[in-house]
Amino acid sequence: MSAAGSLLAAVPAAGVLLLTVAMRPREVGAVAPLRLAVVRAVLLTGVYAVLVVELLGALHALTRPAFVAAWLLFLAAAATAAGLRQRRATRPAPTLTAAPRPVPVGAVVSGGSADPPAVVGRGATGPDPAPTRAVRAPSSLLAVAVDAWRTAGRGERLLVGAIGGLVLLELLVALLAEPNNFDSQTYHLPKVEHWVAQGDLDFWPTAIHRQVTIPPGAEYLLLHLRLLTGGDHLYNLVQWAAGVLCLLVAARITAQLGGSRRAQLLTAFVLATTPMVVLQATSTQTDLVCAAWVTCAATLVLDGLRRRTGWGTVLGLGAATGLTAVTKTSGLIAVGPLLLLWGLAQLRLALAASTATPGPTTASAAAPNPTAASAASPGPTTTGGDRRPRPVGGLARTVGASVLILLVAAVVVGPFLARVTAEFGHPLGPPRLRESIPMERHDPPSILVNALRIGHTAFDTPLAPLRRAGAEAIIDGAGAIGVDPQDRAITFGREIFPEPAWYPDEDRVAFPLTGALVLIGAVVALARPRRIDPEQAGPLRAYAVVVLVAALLHTSMIKWQPWGNRLILYAVVLAVPLAGLWLDAFFRRHRANPGRSEARRSVATLAAVTVLATSALAGVLALSYGFPRRLVGAGSVFTTSDWDTRFVRRPQWADEFRWAATAVRESGARRIGLVQQNDNWEYPWWLLLRQPDGGSPDLVALQSVLPERPPADPASVDAIVCTGSRPACTKLVPAGWRLEFRGYVGYALPPGR
C-alpha cells in the first residue's frame, strides 16, 4: 500500500472524529454523551458509505477518483459541521429567570471515563436548568479521563488494562495478517473485486450464488478501502473498528440501564474477552459489523424509553435498521423487537403527555414513571431558553416517526433488494438461499430441538464427556418427542449434530463463560430486576424481554449449523450488558450484606473473580493461539509470509494456486475462464492474475447459477483456471486443449500456448 493510499484511508476516520464533535448531544441528561455522539457519527458515516457505493454504482463510476472525491467532500462537510458546533459551544448559555431545581444526592449516573456525568434528577420539582454545553475540548476530555483513572479502584484499573491490552493486540494482528477467512476467499472478497472490475454493482454470471445473493453491506465498506488504498491490507480494520464500537455501545447500554462505571467496565470486559469477538475483530467476516449496527439501534431505543424521541434520533434508528438489513438480515431478528419496544414506549409517553395537566412546565409530565429522569425528558417548557430539539409528540407523530424509520431503512437497503428481486423474483433471493438457512419447520417440538442444539454448540467446552452427555440427552429427548435431530428441515446442509465448537476458530468457537453470565443476568433481570437496580426495574425487564424474544426468534428461524455460534454474535453483544449489570450488583450486594458470614461472602466473591479471570484467559488464548490468525506458534503472523498467511486454513493450496497462475501468465492469456463450485476459493485468482499495472484481470465464469446470466463460452477465453473438481473442469475444457491438474487447482491452455 502506497503512502498516498495510507493517507486516503485516514480520511474516513478523520471524518468520523469530526462528526463526533459536531454531533455531541446538546440536551441535558444524555447518558454517556461522547459515546452517543460516536454512535450518531458512525451511523451517518455508514449510511454515507452505502449510498456513495449505490450512487456511483448506478452511474458506473466505481473508480478511485470518484471515491476520493466523495470522501474529501465528506471530510469538508464534517469539518464545517464541527466548526459550527464549536462556535455555538463558545456562546454563553441563556440564563433562566426561574431557580433551577435541586438535584438529590446520588442522582449522578457516570458516563464512563471519557464522558462527563449525566445528571438525573429523581423526584425533583421545578423548572429544568439551562442546557449545559456538552462539547468539550480534547484537553478537557483528557482531564476527565485522568481524573477517572485517579479515582478508579484497583479492580477497575485491571479491567481497563485488560480491555485496552486485548484491543491493541487485536489491532496489531489485524494490521499484520492478510485476509484469510474461508468465506472471504469464496465470496466476500471476490464480490469486491467484481465491482472494481465492472465499475458498477450489476450481478454477474457465477457458480457461487453467495457472491450476489448475500447482503453486501460489510463488503461496501471494504470496497471503499479497496479503491482508496489499491489493495486489501487494511480490510481487517473494518471488523476491528466494529468490535471497538460494540464495546463502547454495550457499555453505554449498561449506563442507560443504571449501571455504574464498574458495571460498564464489567460489560466491556466480558464482551472483549469473548473468544468469538476476539477472533472476529481481526477478520474479514461480517458478524461484528452486523452486531455493531444492532447495538447502535438498541442504545437509541433505550434513549426513547423515558423521553420523547427527537427527529434526529428517529433518523438514527432508520439508519441502524437499514445498515443492519444491508449487512446481515439475521440482525433484524433483534432490531424488530427493539423497534417494537421503542414504539410502545413512545406511545405510552404520548398518551401520558396528552392526559397530563397543563402547567408552567411540561417536561416532567412527559415521563410517566415518577422515578424517571425528569432532566432526560426533552418535553417543551415555557422557559424561553430551552433549545432542545422538538420532540416527536402525539400519536400521529409517533406513527409518522415509525414510518420514517422504515423509509430511511428502505433508502439504505432498498437498492440491493431491488436488484435481488429483479434477478430472482423475490427480495430474499433464490429458493436455494431461502431454504438452506431458514427453518422449514416451525412446530414447537422442532423449535425446541433446534434451540437445544444451538445452545449445546454455544456452550461447548473442551470437556468431551460433558459434550457427549449433553448431545446424547438432546438426541434422546428429540426422539422421545418425535423429532429427528438430523432432520434437513431444521439442519443446515448435510451437517450432523453434534459438532465440537470449543476450539478457538473464528467461525465456530463457543463462549460458555459469556453465555453463562448472560443467562444468569437475563434471568435475574426478568425475574428480580430490583436485585440489580430498584430504580431501573422496568427498563431492565423490558430490555431482558427483548433479548429473550430475539433468542427465541433466532432459534425458531435459523437452522442449526456447526458454525452457528458466529450467527448469534449480534444477540450475544446485545445481551452482555445484562451480564455486566448482574456482576456489578453481585459484587455490591456481597460486599454490603452484613447478614452473611465473612466466609460465605469471600467464597462467592472468589467464585465470581475466578470466572472473570478464566474469561480473561479464554480471550488471551484465543488471541494467542486462535485460528486462522494467531500471535504465537505455528502460523504466527510474525513468522508466516504474507502469501502463506492467506492459506493457513489450506496450506497445501498456496503453491498450487501459484503454479497454475504462473503458467497462465506466461502463456500471455488475457481473458481467463473460471471453473469452480459453490464453496471454492476464487479470491486468489484476483490477486495472482492482476494486470502488470495493478488493474483487475479479465476473469469470466464458465458456469452460472443465475438463470438470466449465462456463462461465457469456453471457446471465447484464452485460458481456463479450475478449483475443486477435475471432472467438472474437464467437461468445460475445449477439445484439443492441454489440461493440467495438481490436487485442488488446475489450468487449461489452448494449443500453442
Side-chain angles (χ1 to χ4, degrees):
M1 181 175 62
S2 65
S6 300
L7 291 175
L8 290 174
V11 171
V16 171
L17 292 177
L18 290 169
L19 280 181
T20 300
V21 174
M23 294 191 168
R24 191 71 180 254
R26 302 175 187 177
E27 63 269 21
V28 175
V31 177
L34 179 57
R35 278 171 276 172
L36 176 57
V38 170
V39 169
R40 293 172 174 176
V42 170
L43 286 174
L44 179 57
T45 305
V47 169
Y48 181 80
V50 170
L51 295 184
V52 163
V53 172
E54 292 289 357
L55 177 60
L56 294 180
L59 297 174
H60 304 282
L62 297 181
T63 62
R64 189 183 195 193
F67 274 68
V68 170
W71 280 111
L72 291 178
L73 177 64
F74 179 82
L75 183 64
T80 301
L84 292 174
R85 181 62 196 279
Q86 286 291 85
R87 280 199 290 272
R88 291 196 191 102
T90 58
R91 297 175 186 169
T95 304
L96 294 177
T97 57
R101 64 185 172 197
V103 178
V105 176
V108 175
V109 178
S110 172
S113 60
D115 294 306
V119 179
V120 180
R122 293 187 174 121
T125 59
D128 285 339
T132 57
R133 299 297 183 185
V135 176
R136 294 195 178 204
S139 58
S140 177
L141 293 176
L142 179 61
V144 171
V146 170
D147 183 67
W149 179 263
R150 182 179 57 81
T151 59
R154 182 183 304 174
E156 292 178 342
R157 291 183 179 183
L158 285 174
L159 292 173
V160 171
I163 297 166
L166 283 171
V167 169
L168 290 176
L169 286 175
E170 289 163 6
L171 176 60
L172 178 64
V173 174
L175 290 172
L176 292 178
E178 303 298 318
N180 60 1
N181 172 261
F182 194 103
D183 284 348
S184 296
Q185 306 282 3
T186 300
Y187 67 96
H188 290 308
L189 304 189
K191 188 184 300 186
V192 175
E193 295 301 322
H194 278 285
W195 293 333
V196 174
Q198 296 178 172
D200 58 40
L201 301 174
D202 290 345
F203 291 162
W204 52 90
T206 178
I208 304 173
H209 76 87
R210 291 175 293 174
Q211 291 183 357
V212 296
T213 57
I214 299 294
E219 290 89 341
Y220 282 174
L221 304 181
L222 297 180
L223 176 62
H224 287 272
L225 289 176
R226 169 69 173 84
L227 289 173
L228 291 177
T229 67
D232 61 8
H233 307 289
L234 299 181
Y235 277 7
N236 293 331
L237 293 186
V238 170
Q239 281 260 111
W240 177 82
V244 173
L245 182 61
C246 286
L247 295 180
L248 294 174
V249 181
R252 183 174 192 262
I253 290 173
T254 305
Q256 290 173 288
L257 294 173
S260 64
R261 182 173 64 186
R262 182 176 64 180
Q264 297 171 52
L265 289 174
L266 285 168
T267 295
F269 176 83
V270 172
L271 184 58
T273 56
T274 301
M276 180 64 76
V277 174
V278 171
L279 292 169
Q280 289 232 2
T282 63
S283 173
T284 47
Q285 266 292 7
T286 62
D287 303 286
L288 269 179
V289 178
C290 174
W293 302 136
V294 171
T295 52
C296 285
T299 195
L300 296 179
V301 164
L302 288 178
D303 278 340
L305 291 189
R306 285 182 167 173
R307 63 180 178 184
R308 312 288 285 282
T309 298
W311 292 110
T313 301
V314 169
L315 294 175
L317 285 170
T321 303
L323 289 169
T324 301
V326 81
T327 300
K328 211 175 187 73
T329 51
S330 57
L332 295 176
I333 294 174
V335 173
L338 284 167
L339 292 180
L340 179 60
L341 174 64
W342 172 85
L344 292 174
Q346 291 297 296
L347 286 174
R348 179 171 176 263
L349 291 172
L351 292 174
S354 65
T355 58
T357 302
T361 177
T362 60
S364 58
N369 187 340
T371 65
S374 54
S377 177
T381 68
T382 58
T383 56
D386 195 330
R387 296 171 177 254
R388 302 170 196 169
R390 291 186 63 186
V392 179
L395 179 61
R397 289 192 176 184
T398 301
V399 174
S402 302
V403 173
L404 181 58
I405 290 173
L406 298 179
L407 288 176
V408 172
V411 169
V412 177
V413 72
F416 169 71
L417 293 181
R419 289 193 297 273
V420 173
T421 303
E423 189 73 31
F424 301 104
H426 196 287
L428 298 181
R432 66 182 300 177
L433 177 64
R434 302 198 304 269
E435 296 169 2
S436 60
I437 297 177
M439 287 273 285
E440 298 176 77
R441 290 180 56 179
H442 299 92
D443 54 288
S446 296
I447 294 174
L448 175 61
V449 172
N450 194 53
L452 291 174
R453 294 182 305 166
I454 291 175
H456 179 273
T457 304
F459 284 82
D460 192 21
T461 71
L463 303 176
L466 181 61
R467 181 189 313 119
R468 286 195 299 268
E472 290 172 1
I474 293 173
I475 293 172
D476 293 342
I481 60 177
V483 177
D484 178 5
Q486 315 301 345
D487 186 355
R488 297 303 102 189
I490 62 173
T491 305
F492 180 85
R494 300 181 181 276
E495 305 301 326
I496 301 297
F497 173 82
E499 184 73 23
W502 63 268
Y503 185 80
D505 184 301
E506 67 174 353
D507 286 334
R508 64 178 64 196
V509 63
F511 30 81
L513 292 176
T514 301
L517 292 173
V518 163
L519 186 60
I520 295 172
V523 169
V524 174
L526 283 169
R528 305 184 69 179
R530 294 185 180 277
R531 291 177 66 90
I532 295 177
D533 190 339
E535 298 183 355
Q536 294 285 340
L540 272 170
R541 181 173 281 140
Y543 189 79
V545 167
V546 167
V547 171
L548 176 62
V549 169
L552 292 176
L553 288 175
H554 185 98
T555 56
S556 63
M557 297 174 68
I558 306 296
K559 294 177 179 177
W560 174 87
Q561 47 196 284
W563 43 88
N565 286 342
R566 67 178 181 82
L567 300 183
I568 61 174
L569 186 58
Y570 72 91
V572 173
V573 176
L574 193 67
V576 162
L578 298 175
L581 288 162
W582 174 76
L583 282 169
D584 181 61
F586 177 88
F587 287 125
R588 188 174 63 245
R589 186 171 63 254
H590 282 272
R591 169 175 288 189
N593 190 348
R596 297 193 176 199
S597 66
E598 184 66 29
R600 289 183 62 186
R601 282 184 289 166
S602 298
V603 169
T605 302
L606 179 62
V609 170
T610 301
V611 170
L612 292 177
T614 307
S615 181
L617 179 62
V620 170
L621 290 177
L623 187 59
S624 301
Y625 296 98
F627 200 70
R629 293 164 302 280
R630 56 177 51 170
L631 285 172
V632 298
S636 166
V637 295
F638 294 114
T639 59
T640 308
S641 69
D642 293 348
W643 184 251
D644 289 335
T645 298
R646 298 179 184 273
F647 289 86
V648 166
R649 284 199 180 275
R650 300 291 187 271
Q652 68 276 18
W653 294 352
D655 291 337
E656 295 175 7
F657 270 98
R658 270 183 166 168
W659 161 75
T662 299
V664 170
R665 284 200 312 269
E666 291 177 349
S667 73
R670 293 184 176 275
R671 182 176 168 87
I672 303 164
L674 286 173
V675 179
Q676 54 197 0
Q677 287 74 56
N678 185 56
D679 208 29
N680 288 176
W681 286 18
E682 180 182 314
Y683 187 58
W685 299 127
W686 291 96
L687 299 176
L688 291 167
L689 298 174
R690 280 189 180 176
Q691 302 294 335
D693 60 357
S696 298
D698 187 6
L699 295 177
V700 295
L702 302 184
Q703 311 137 290
S704 178
V705 294
L706 277 66
E708 302 300 322
R709 300 187 184 269
D713 184 350
S716 69
V717 300
D718 303 322
I720 296 174
V721 291
C722 310
T723 51
S725 170
R726 177 167 184 159
C729 186
T730 303
K731 291 179 182 179
L732 292 170
V733 173
W737 284 39
R738 175 170 57 93
L739 174 63
E740 301 284 345
F741 228 93
R742 183 182 293 180
Y744 178 76
V745 177
Y747 70 91
L749 295 173
R753 286 187 180 269

